């Protein structure tokens, strides 16, 4: 059993390792980085304690979310007024998720294969703790969501990053590289589909390679599908666990944080085989009964079952595509920046490497000179160096102002780097 102290130090190590590995820790510390209190990413700032200091900046790195569907808000209020303030593991919500998985993810499961969690992030740490032991190796694409590697390391595993390939300026999964990187100690593959921050949507053939590798090498898969409905241009999201034999070795993580704009309500879930679910359930119980709040569970049912649900998703997607197109059109080709269109998800990843590989420096420059906040791409792995992550979840007027500032800052960067 881990003691409190060594668990804390593992968390700190997991948190810092990526940065130390890349020689980024010192510059980040020197800049006085903070763990931004509204999101989950680092951003360079010289005023770690001064909230007002952010008022003058436009944040295009994380983005604010759109308003939550009124049916969700009403369901939460009604639940509170009706006195649902006790422990709850909602059978109704699990039934709604079973129906969602069948309709949208081609997964046929029973309610006991679903474990509700306080957001997707809780599912990541639970599955890492359940499946990984110290000394195990986990393969994670690079770039990919920073929380995957953090959680694997907290479980004591060693993380090996598998660089994605760049094709026509856009990152895409490299199946052969994943196969080549599998070692005898490899125990699991963790990945986000769609990918944060690149917006890559895994194809059926990508997933077939992962499934085949998992079967041949007896690997577990932790598949984070938090953005499964945020898919653009008629693309189709495919769940790995829907492949024959894959449910037995996969923990699928989904939730309502993104497309339903419910990040603070903390609704996530894990889907796994019955035997794995029993282990995960014990772990969830040990972790302070890490269920979503009771009131939120009613909101979750409303999100998944209200009659205007599909229309809501359609409208949200339309808005995302509009903001995505504004973003890529403003930046792609501007002074050598490349900003390919993401296929899915919440973000675009713009390549600013024409101004050097030090994306922290670039982000800081843009903040200082143009008052626009971005997130350095290296947060998501070495392949993200020289890139900046841009969020698509801003109201169009805010995004337009943010992009205008980014263009102004980029012009200054271009001028200064040529002098
Ligand atoms: C890929 C990915 N997974 C998990 C999370 C965290 O999700 P939640 O807030 O539901 O815990 C995020 C948040 O941005 C994310 O981008």
């Amino acid at each position: 059993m881990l003691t409190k102290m060594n668990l804390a130090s593992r968390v700190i190590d997991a948190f810092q390792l990526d940065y130390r590995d890349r020689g980024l820790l010192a510059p980040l510390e020197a800049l006085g980085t903070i763990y931004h209190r509204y999101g989950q990413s680092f951003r360079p700032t010289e005023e770690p304690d001064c909230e007002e200091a952010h008022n003058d900046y436009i944040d295009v790195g994380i983005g604010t979310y759109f308003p939550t569907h009124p049916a969700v808000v009403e369901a939460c209020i009604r639940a509170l007024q009706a006195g649902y303030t006790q422990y709850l593991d909602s059978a109704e919500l699990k039934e709604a998720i079973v129906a969602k998985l069948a309709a949208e993810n081609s997964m046929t499961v029973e309610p006991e294969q679903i474990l509700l969690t306080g957001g997707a992030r809780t599912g990541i740490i639970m599955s890492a703790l359940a499946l990984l032991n110290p000394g195990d190796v986990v393969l994670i694409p690079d770039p990919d969501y920073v929380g995957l590697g953090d959680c694997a390391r907290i479980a004591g595993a060693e993380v090996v990053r598998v660089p994605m390939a760049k094709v026509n300026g856009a990152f895409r999964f490299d199946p052969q590289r994943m196969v080549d990187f599998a070692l005898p100690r490899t125990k699991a593959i963790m990945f986000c589909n769609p990918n944060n921050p690149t917006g890559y949507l895994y194809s059926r053939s990508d997933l077939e390679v992962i499934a085949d590798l998992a079967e041949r090498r007896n690997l577990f898969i932790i598949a984070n599908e938090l953005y499964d409905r945020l898919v653009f241009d008629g693309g189709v999201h495919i769940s790995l666990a829907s492949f024959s034999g894959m449910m037995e070795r996969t923990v699928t993580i989904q939730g309502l944080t993104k497309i339903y704009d419910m990040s603070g309500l903390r609704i996530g879930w894990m889907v796994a085989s019955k035997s794995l679910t029993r282990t995960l359930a014990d772990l969830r119980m040990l972790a302070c009964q890490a269920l979503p709040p009771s009131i939120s569970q009613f909101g979750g049912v409303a999100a998944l079952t209200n009659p205007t649900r599909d229309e809501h998703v359609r409208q949200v997607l339309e808005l995302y595509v509009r903001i995505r197109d504004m973003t890529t059109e403003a930046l792609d080709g501007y002074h050598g920046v490349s900003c390919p269109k993401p296929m899915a998800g919440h973000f675009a990843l713009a390549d600013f490497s024409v101004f050097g590989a030090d994306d922290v420096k670039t982000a800081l420059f843009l903040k200082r000179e143009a008052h626009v906040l971005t997130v350095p791409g290296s947060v998501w792995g070495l392949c993200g160096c020289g890139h900046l992550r841009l969020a698509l979840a801003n109201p169009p007027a805010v995004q337009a102002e943010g992009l205008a500032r980014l263009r102004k800052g980029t012009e200054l960067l271009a001028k200064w780097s040529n002098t």
Side-chain angles (χ1 to χ4, degrees):
M1 242 350 238
L2 292 169
T3 65
K4 195 174 165 196
M5 270 316 288
N6 70 26
L7 179 58
S9 69
R10 269 201 203 176
V11 173
I12 291 163
D13 277 355
F15 201 49
Q16 295 191 344
L17 198 63
D18 267 359
Y19 301 90
R20 200 180 296 126
D21 280 355
R22 294 179 215 141
L24 281 172
L25 188 60
L28 282 169
E29 277 172 350
L31 294 171
T33 54
I34 55 166
Y35 186 75
H36 193 262
R37 65 194 83 162
Y38 303 121
Q40 301 186 346
S41 302
F42 285 104
R43 68 250 326 275
T45 175
E46 303 103 302
E47 309 92 356
D49 297 321
C50 180
E51 198 161 316
E52 302 84 73
H54 288 284
N55 292 344
D56 194 26
Y57 296 90
I58 299 265
D59 179 353
V60 293
I62 289 176
T64 54
Y65 301 130
F66 305 120
T68 304
H69 195 295
V72 173
V73 176
E74 277 163 31
C76 292
I77 292 171
R78 272 201 310 272
L80 188 56
Q81 285 169 338
Y84 285 105
T85 52
Q86 318 302 327
Y87 289 124
L88 183 67
D89 188 4
S90 167
E92 204 185 349
L93 179 54
K94 283 187 268 188
E95 287 293 351
I97 295 168
V98 167
K100 181 246 183 252
L101 292 168
E104 294 169 9
N105 305 103
S106 304
M107 274 194 239
T108 310
V109 299
E110 292 177 35
E112 63 259 47
Q113 289 176 259
I114 292 164
L115 279 173
L116 304 178
T117 53
R121 181 93 188 199
T122 311
I124 304 172
I125 185 73
M126 299 266 156
S127 40
L129 289 172
L131 300 179
L132 305 173
N133 292 311
D136 288 342
V137 170
V138 180
L139 301 181
I140 303 178
D142 184 339
D144 208 331
Y145 180 55
V146 63
L148 301 180
D150 289 351
C151 291
R153 277 191 289 265
I154 289 166
E158 201 179 298
V159 173
V160 171
R161 303 300 300 264
V162 182
M164 292 177 95
K166 253 202 171 175
V167 179
N168 297 330
F171 280 108
R172 56 173 306 140
F173 176 65
D174 188 334
Q176 188 54 47
R177 219 173 255 168
M178 181 62 86
V179 173
D180 293 345
F181 273 53
L183 309 166
R185 278 193 298 127
T186 302
K187 176 81 169 287
I189 296 171
M190 296 173 89
F191 71 112
C192 292
N193 179 24
N195 175 288
N196 168 5
T198 65
Y200 182 69
L201 180 68
Y202 284 68
S203 68
R204 183 168 290 280
S205 64
D206 293 338
L207 296 169
E208 278 166 358
V209 171
I210 297 176
D212 178 61
L213 182 64
E215 278 198 330
R216 282 191 293 109
R217 296 298 195 102
N218 196 24
L219 308 179
F220 285 114
I221 308 285
I222 299 175
N224 181 341
E225 300 185 351
L226 188 58
Y227 298 89
D228 71 326
R229 292 217 71 188
L230 263 172
V231 172
F232 314 136
D233 308 326
V236 179
H237 173 268
I238 302 168
S239 292
L240 186 71
S242 69
F243 287 21
S244 161
M246 277 299 117
M247 181 61 78
E248 293 310 306
R249 50 177 79 251
T250 306
V251 180
T252 304
I253 294 162
Q254 297 185 348
L256 301 180
T257 294
K258 300 294 172 177
I259 189 90
Y260 295 102
D261 302 298
M262 291 169 61
S263 58
L265 296 178
R266 313 304 302 143
I267 301 275
W269 57 86
M270 294 182 274
V271 189
S273 67
K274 285 186 189 166
S275 62
L276 201 48
T277 321
R278 276 191 288 277
T279 309
L280 288 163
D282 288 347
L283 198 58
R284 186 187 58 180
M285 182 66 189
L286 287 169
C288 319
Q289 193 53 293
L291 280 155
S294 54
I295 302 156
S296 304
Q297 294 184 40
F298 288 88
V301 174
L304 290 173
T305 61
N306 84 78
T308 59
R309 161 174 187 257
D310 287 339
E311 179 54 19
H312 171 78
V313 170
R314 197 192 58 72
Q315 283 176 10
V316 171
L317 279 178
E318 220 173 78
L319 200 50
Y320 267 87
V321 168
R322 187 169 144 212
I323 297 168
R324 175 197 68 169
D325 293 348
M326 267 169 64
T327 305
T328 56
E329 278 156 26
L331 291 174
D332 194 37
Y334 191 63
H335 290 290
V337 170
S338 146
C339 189
K341 283 188 180 181
M343 300 160 79
H346 227 276
F347 305 102
L349 192 65
D351 186 345
F352 276 73
S353 61
V354 66
F355 304 117
D358 190 342
D359 44 301
V360 173
K361 211 164 142 189
T362 304
L364 184 57
F365 179 95
L366 292 168
K367 178 192 179 246
R368 198 180 277 143
E369 301 300 328
H371 281 208
V372 60
L373 300 175
T374 57
V375 185
S378 51
V379 166
W380 290 275
L382 267 180
C383 294
C385 286
H387 295 69
L388 299 177
R389 190 186 75 170
L390 310 172
L392 308 178
N394 272 321
V398 174
Q399 189 80 354
E401 172 60 20
L403 292 170
R405 293 186 188 192
L406 258 180
R407 280 171 67 93
K408 185 184 130 211
T410 305
E411 198 179 331
L412 285 174
L413 260 174
K415 208 179 281 172
W416 291 15
S417 53
N418 284 334
T419 52

